[in-house]
Amino acid sequence: MGWAALTGRHAAEDGNRLVRAADWLGEEIEQLGAQLCDGYRAGEISGHDCAMALCDYIGRVACPVNERHAELIRITNDWLGSSLNPKLSDLMERAAYSDRQVQRLVERYFGLPPQALARKYRAIRAATLLSFPVLTPDWEAQLAEAFFDQSHMIREIRLFVGRTPARLGDEESPYLNEMLDPKNLREIRMPTLDGAG
């Protein structure tokens, strides 16, 4: 939703790459970023002040997303969080569009068509679960059911997370470890260590 409101760009065409913010958002964002960094480094403004200044900027430049598209984004997020292996038919039943339109719009806003998107989220959630020190028997069973076999799970996690399960806790990858922290996956249902989900 934020991507769509801020850039209006097609996620499948523009996602997973680094670009200068000014190339998509104009020179104002680059000037603001430099000003905030200089002020922060000089001790003149706090991290909170920087975040609030960026929020103000986003509030000024973000454009509303088509109401029906916003609803499809919400439905897609719910669908992705419904299980490790959500059924495509469940998404299609809930969406107020034809199957072809759902395919096209999900790819536009999420960067992948629904089935590939479900694979990606399954791999990310599996990686997150495997990073827990202990899994409940219920979650172990759900992981086993979500993949054909262990090699399938390893391939999917490597493809979408960039690491094999054995390397998920690698201390040389603090950013990956932080991204896999369940607190950062609030859009999808993740279990707690005690098994409550």
Side-chain angles (χ1 to χ4, degrees), residues 63-78:
C63 297
V65 175
N66 175 299
E67 193 78 25
R68 290 185 65 215
H69 292 190
E71 179 61 18
L72 178 62
I73 292 168
R74 282 189 284 280
I75 289 169
T76 303
N77 277 328
D78 287 346

Side-chain angles (χ1 to χ4, degrees), residues 58-113:
I58 291 169
R60 284 195 325 272
V61 302
C63 297
V65 175
N66 175 299
E67 193 78 25
R68 290 185 65 215
H69 292 190
E71 179 61 18
L72 178 62
I73 292 168
R74 282 189 284 280
I75 289 169
T76 303
N77 277 328
D78 287 346
W79 170 73
L80 287 169
S82 66
S83 80
L84 278 172
N85 253 344
K87 295 178 184 170
L88 185 58
S89 59
D90 292 343
L91 173 63
M92 297 305 181
E93 285 173 16
R94 291 188 58 202
Y97 291 99
S98 70
D99 290 1
R100 180 64 196 120
Q101 288 174 306
V102 171
Q103 295 279 341
R104 185 178 54 79
L105 289 170
V106 168
E107 187 169 3
R108 174 181 171 186
Y109 290 112
F110 289 86
L112 292 169

Side-chain angles (χ1 to χ4, degrees), residues 3-186:
W3 171 266
L6 192 56
T7 71
R9 300 179 71 90
H10 196 294
E13 296 168 6
D14 296 318
N16 296 322
R17 32 187 359 226
L18 294 173
V19 297
R20 284 180 57 235
D23 290 347
W24 288 352
L25 304 175
E27 292 299 323
E28 180 187 358
I29 188 62
E30 196 160 289
Q31 293 164 1
L32 176 62
Q35 175 189 352
L36 293 174
C37 286
D38 291 345
Y40 181 76
R41 288 183 187 123
E44 297 166 357
I45 56 176
S46 69
H48 179 266
D49 295 334
C50 292
M52 294 311 296
L54 288 172
C55 287
D56 289 343
Y57 170 81
I58 291 169
R60 284 195 325 272
V61 302
C63 297
V65 175
N66 175 299
E67 193 78 25
R68 290 185 65 215
H69 292 190
E71 179 61 18
L72 178 62
I73 292 168
R74 282 189 284 280
I75 289 169
T76 303
N77 277 328
D78 287 346
W79 170 73
L80 287 169
S82 66
S83 80
L84 278 172
N85 253 344
K87 295 178 184 170
L88 185 58
S89 59
D90 292 343
L91 173 63
M92 297 305 181
E93 285 173 16
R94 291 188 58 202
Y97 291 99
S98 70
D99 290 1
R100 180 64 196 120
Q101 288 174 306
V102 171
Q103 295 279 341
R104 185 178 54 79
L105 289 170
V106 168
E107 187 169 3
R108 174 181 171 186
Y109 290 112
F110 289 86
L112 292 169
Q115 200 62 48
L117 186 64
R119 282 180 57 209
K120 177 181 179 177
Y121 273 68
R122 178 184 62 193
I124 292 170
R125 291 175 76 192
T128 299
L129 288 168
L130 291 171
S131 71
F132 288 175
V134 177
L135 279 179
T136 65
D138 181 49
W139 280 105
E140 285 182 15
Q142 286 190 44
L143 268 177
E145 290 173 17
F147 298 94
F148 297 119
D149 55 27
Q150 188 174 5
S151 63
H152 176 228
M153 180 180 67
I154 291 168
R155 281 192 312 274
E156 292 287 282
I157 290 174
R158 182 186 296 136
L159 175 66
F160 291 107
V161 179
R163 295 271 191 280
T164 61
R167 293 194 53 221
L168 288 174
D170 186 350
E171 292 192 16
E172 294 182 19
S173 306
Y175 297 117
L176 176 62
N177 295 337
E178 182 65 24
M179 287 188 305
L180 291 176
D181 191 311
K183 74 176 187 251
N184 295 318
L185 302 175
R186 64 188 174 279

